Amino acid sequence: MDTWLYRLQPATFRGVYFKVSADEATYGRRSTTHEYPLRNVPFTDDMGRKARRYSISAYLVGGDYMVQRDRLLTALELGGPGTLIHPFYGSLTVHVDGDIRVSHSRDNGGMCEISLQFVESGQLNYPTSGGATAQNVVTAADKTDASLGEKFLQDFGLDGFADWVTDDVIGNVSGMLDEVISVFNVVDTAVADAARLLQGDLSVLFPPPTQGAEFIRRTQEMWAAGRSIYFNTESAISAVDNLKYIASDSALSPRGNWPVLSASEQQSVSCTNATAQLMRGTAISQSARQFSALPSPVSYNDAVKSSGTTHPAIGDSPDRTRQRQVLPVSYDQLTRQRVTYNRLFDQEASRVQGDLPFMMLEDLRQAVSLDIQRRLQQTAKAVVRKPDEVSPAVILAADWYDDAARGAEIVAMNDIIHPGFVPPRPLRVASR
């Protein structure tokens, strides 16, 4: 029989199940009423739809209700948006809103009640000029991280298994972090140091009750630790490439989980693969964020013109001037990034587990591709030009581009020691 009872969906948040005894949703619109002096008729201005809020009275029951409770609380305390499967409204992307109230009582032994508040996640839209694709990359990267976190919490579980399973998982993950440390020791010590700290805390984070949300947060912070090392465009691109390299490293590849293995061995492999997927996926999303943060030709030129600076400040040393020139990515660099990102996303699409992480990674692939395409449309191909004599960079920029503000671009692209003395040698510069 097709009744409303058969249409209800099992309630979950970030893949963790719970039962619902009652719920309430708040809808509406925002209105502002203007009342004018000496006028009898007001004017009401419609300010748009209100944010939708959902209140749920949940409960967990059974001999293992405490384990269920801890899993749900871990999912609720994880930052960012999450997927809520509401019994009546279906799949919703929401944020946890406010306090989470948990209550136990002697009369209701073997269960607990949890009061939940959610608010719709919505979209972050800034009015930008030509920079929407970069913001779309950040939004897609955030959603990718959220989906990977949900999948990790679903797949990673060591409760009820022998201690050797936990030790085996810790050893496997420690080996992955050894590879991260060995790679980033050379190129970015900040990431390597964060990996060492995370490696040292595995024995605290993994044994039951596993601190899954804390491990997710620490992994994301590990990849983001190196974002402050940029001092020019080459170093910024190198930081992006380093994250892409480690995401494709064989040490983080998934392992075969064969049916001939025992249940404990299968769980060890499952937890190891869940951790490897989290590390690979969050490295990819962080590389995309750092790439999108690089200035585009439009935003860079606007920033230079608005500052009114056409040459380094008097008194600045040449080294200090060179270290703060992060210019737009060149045409050649953009074409290489497009190739390497396509290869990386193709590889990860064949390895990722879970429908939602796969879809979010594909959305991130599209956002990165569109951002690169927009930058290519705004970026001129490089050509070689040679000054007739030693000249200031601002003079060359004024002659070649009718824009003296682009002197810093010539200096940074050719590693000129002093912007006031550009030597008469072949220089690689933008064609327009």
Side-chain angles (χ1 to χ4, degrees):
M1 180 181 291
D2 186 17
T3 68
W4 64 274
L5 284 173
Y6 291 97
R7 297 184 182 181
L8 296 182
Q9 302 183 45
T12 66
F13 182 65
R14 292 195 169 109
V16 181
Y17 287 88
F18 58 90
K19 299 183 183 299
V20 175
S21 59
D23 80 285
E24 182 178 300
T26 303
Y27 292 76
R29 298 192 68 81
R30 294 169 289 128
S31 299
T32 301
T33 300
H34 306 278
E35 296 181 288
Y36 303 99
L38 305 179
R39 290 189 182 180
N40 295 326
V41 179
F43 170 71
T44 299
D45 196 5
D46 187 349
M47 306 298 291
R49 180 172 68 80
K50 293 187 68 172
R52 295 173 179 174
R53 299 179 183 273
Y54 305 90
S55 301
I56 296 177
S57 297
Y59 67 94
L60 300 167
V61 64
D64 63 341
Y65 86 92
M66 291 186 179
V67 176
Q68 300 178 49
R69 176 202 61 196
D70 293 341
R71 289 190 63 209
L72 181 57
L73 291 176
T74 298
L76 290 167
E77 290 181 330
L78 186 64
T83 301
L84 169 68
I85 304 299
H86 195 288
F88 296 95
Y89 301 109
S91 179
L92 306 169
T93 302
V94 297
H95 279 78
V96 176
D97 185 28
D99 296 335
I100 304 165
R101 300 184 182 277
V102 184
S103 61
H104 305 80
S105 69
R106 182 182 296 272
D107 295 335
N108 296 325
M111 69 170 294
C112 68
E113 297 177 345
I114 304 180
S115 180
L116 306 175
Q117 306 287 334
F118 299 102
V119 62
E120 67 173 322
S121 178
Q123 297 179 348
L124 179 60
N125 294 319
Y126 287 126
T128 57
S129 174
T133 55
Q135 180 57 45
N136 290 342
V137 171
V138 175
T139 301
D142 291 343
K143 290 182 178 180
T144 299
D145 280 353
S147 68
L148 291 167
E150 292 180 26
K151 183 62 176 173
F152 175 79
L153 293 176
Q154 292 176 27
D155 294 347
F156 193 100
L158 297 170
D159 293 337
F161 288 91
D163 291 343
W164 72 262
V165 178
T166 300
D167 294 338
D168 192 45
V169 174
I170 291 176
N172 293 337
V173 177
S174 181
M176 299 178 200
L177 291 172
D178 279 336
E179 180 67 12
V180 174
I181 293 168
S182 66
V183 170
F184 283 89
N185 250 342
V186 179
V187 296
D188 190 342
T189 55
V191 176
D193 291 342
R196 286 192 188 91
L197 291 174
L198 180 57
Q199 187 181 48
D201 290 342
L202 292 179
S203 58
V204 177
L205 296 173
F206 278 0
T210 302
Q211 301 180 43
E214 178 66 12
F215 180 77
I216 294 170
R217 183 185 67 82
R218 294 279 297 276
T219 301
Q220 294 170 348
E221 290 179 350
M222 175 180 69
W223 300 132
R227 61 188 172 190
S228 61
I229 68 166
Y230 303 168
F231 56 89
N232 60 26
T233 309
E234 289 295 334
S235 66
I237 288 294
S238 294
V240 170
D241 289 340
N242 293 336
L243 290 169
K244 290 190 290 184
Y245 172 81
I246 198 63
S248 61
D249 196 295
S250 59
L252 273 64
S253 298
R255 307 184 181 194
N257 203 350
W258 314 113
V260 296
L261 299 176
S262 67
S264 296
E265 290 173 322
Q266 290 183 19
Q267 187 63 17
S268 174
V269 174
S270 177
C271 291
T272 299
N273 287 344
T275 308
Q277 175 166 300
L278 175 71
M279 294 176 65
R280 294 194 312 269
T282 51
I284 293 172
S285 61
Q286 181 60 33
S287 77
R289 283 193 197 90
Q290 293 181 189
F291 176 78
S292 70
L294 295 175
S296 66
V298 171
S299 63
Y300 176 79
N301 291 335
D302 289 345
V304 171
K305 291 175 182 178
S306 64
S307 67
T309 302
T310 58
H311 57 81
I314 295 176
D316 278 353
S317 68
D319 288 339
R320 286 179 59 194
T321 301
R322 290 161 60 196
Q323 287 181 350
R324 60 169 179 256
Q325 298 299 328
V326 180
L327 298 176
V329 186
S330 69
Y331 192 94
D332 293 342
Q333 290 171 326
L334 286 171
T335 55
R336 185 178 66 82
Q337 288 297 312
R338 181 168 59 183
V339 172
T340 56
Y341 265 120
N342 282 335
R343 289 175 180 170
L344 180 63
F345 280 112
D346 284 342
Q347 181 187 53
E348 190 60 24
S350 66
R351 302 192 293 188
V352 66
Q353 295 293 315
D355 293 341
L356 186 59
F358 176 83
M359 291 187 293
M360 293 300 100
L361 277 169
E362 288 301 303
D363 288 346
L364 181 59
R365 179 211 291 263
Q366 183 179 14
V368 171
S369 178
L370 290 174
D371 188 40
I372 294 176
Q373 180 180 346
R374 179 185 64 84
R375 291 170 185 264
L376 283 170
Q377 293 171 348
Q378 298 172 348
T379 305
K381 293 183 179 181
V383 296
V384 176
R385 286 183 171 178
K386 182 180 178 180
D388 296 330
E389 57 186 0
V390 176
S391 307
V394 292
I395 300 299
L396 296 176
D399 289 342
W400 293 346
Y401 306 117
D402 196 25
D403 186 356
R406 296 182 64 178
E409 177 184 334
I410 298 173
V411 170
M413 290 183 65
N414 295 276
D415 198 25
I416 305 298
I417 296 177
H418 195 290
F421 303 93
V422 179
R425 60 176 173 84
L427 303 176
R428 190 172 178 81
V429 296
S431 61
R432 53 180 174 84

